[in-house]
Amino acid sequence: QTVVTQEPSLTVSPGGTVTLTCASSTGAVTSGYFPNWFQQKPGQAPRELIYSTSNKHSWTPARFSGSLLGGKAALTLSGVQPEDEAEYYCLLYYGGAYVFGTGTKVTVL
Amino acid sequence: QVQLVQSGAEVMQPGASVKVSCRASGYPFTGYYIHWVRQAPGQGLEWMGWINPNSGGTNYAQKFQGRVTMTGDTSISTVFMELSSLRSDDTALYYCARDPGGNPTFDYWGQGTLVTVSS
């Protein structure tokens, strides 16, 4: 069974920068896994921020960026705002099937 | 505007089946896949499968094969997800999400449907 692992929690100061990563139990994550990133706040449905590694939607704040880093997918938040406090999930594509990451709770403190 | 509106909360007995609907509006219904994702209380997201409303083609996560059925009705722009042989650990919020195909993206989501399995 494929497992996609993220950091359980990260803390960042307002205005700071934090990078979340997404690792696959099958090996290095490449663009062929089409990594997506979602933000979820309590009581809300997830909202997709990044698709296919680094593509943004019209609603994605400029401070969010996606990349590949050291064999993992990565989401970087630069100039963090208090409203960025949330749970973040990555999603990887495995040839027709998808697996969500374990999630990272980002605290802005 | 794009909207996915799901059916209301359900309380089901163990062993029963539940059928959740997801009605689409604001875009060409047959032009987008629909995924189903669930989230148990306090837990992470779990992908269940997708349906192509145009062809009726489906692809289910291995974990749910044999227990889940996804169907669509193009006349009412609605897809359905039926889960059978319910257990207490099926208690979760069930979401539908739109995907244009090609590069995978889950760009619009329904509001979620809470399914509670309890005797």
Side-chain angles (χ1 to χ4, degrees), chain A residues 23-37:
Chain A
S24 172
S25 62
T26 61
V29 175
T30 65
S31 59
Y33 287 83
F34 298 97
N36 293 9
W37 289 93

Side-chain angles (χ1 to χ4, degrees), chain B residues 4 10 17-18 20 35 46 61 78 81-82 93 101 110:
Chain B
L4 297 175
E10 305 266 13
S17 297
V18 68
V20 179
H35 295 266
E46 183 173 31
T78 300
M81 186 283 299
E82 184 170 20
L93 254 178

Side-chain angles (χ1 to χ4, degrees), chain A residues 34 36 38 40 44-48 51-52 55 57 59 89 91 93 95-102, chain B residues 35 37 39 43-47 50 59-61 95 99 102-112:
Chain A
F34 298 97
N36 293 9
F38 299 84
Q40 188 179 33
Q44 296 183 16
R47 179 176 73 147
E48 189 174 71
Y51 63 98
S52 296
N55 293 282
H57 290 289
W59 54 79
Y89 294 94
L91 176 70
Y93 174 73
Y98 296 81
V99 180
F100 279 98
T102 50
Chain B
H35 295 266
V37 175
Q39 186 170 38
Q43 303 300 309
L45 301 173
E46 183 173 31
W47 179 77
W50 57 252
N59 187 25
Y60 304 141
Y95 293 101
D99 175 8
N103 287 349
T105 169
F106 293 38
D107 58 359
Y108 287 89
W109 291 62
Q111 82 277 18

Side-chain angles (χ1 to χ4, degrees), chain B residues 9-94:
Chain B
E10 305 266 13
V11 179
M12 311 301 296
Q13 299 245 333
S17 297
V18 68
K19 194 169 187 177
V20 179
S21 68
C22 172
R23 188 180 81 249
S25 61
Y27 72 94
F29 176 66
T30 54
Y32 293 77
Y33 288 45
I34 294 289
H35 295 266
W36 288 91
V37 175
R38 77 176 187 178
Q39 186 170 38
Q43 303 300 309
L45 301 173
E46 183 173 31
W47 179 77
M48 299 180 69
W50 57 252
I51 179 170
N52 178 345
N54 186 44
S55 66
T58 56
N59 187 25
Y60 304 141
Q62 192 168 11
K63 173 177 178 175
F64 298 102
Q65 283 179 8
R67 256 198 338 132
V68 70
T69 305
M70 297 177 189
T71 56
D73 186 339
T74 56
S75 68
I76 54 172
S77 299
T78 300
V79 298
F80 302 90
M81 186 283 299
E82 184 170 20
L83 189 62
S84 63
S85 303
L86 289 169
R87 308 183 289 256
S88 58
D89 62 358
D90 291 316
T91 294
L93 254 178
Y94 289 77

Side-chain angles (χ1 to χ4, degrees), chain A residues 57-93:
Chain A
H57 290 289
S58 58
W59 54 79
T60 305
R63 61 184 179 274
F64 291 87
S65 62
S67 63
L68 296 175
L69 203 62
K72 300 178 184 180
L75 176 71
T76 299
L77 288 65
S78 306
V80 169
Q81 301 295 307
E83 61 265 29
D84 297 334
E85 184 162 294
E87 191 84 21
Y88 291 83
Y89 294 94
C90 64
L91 176 70
L92 299 181
Y93 174 73

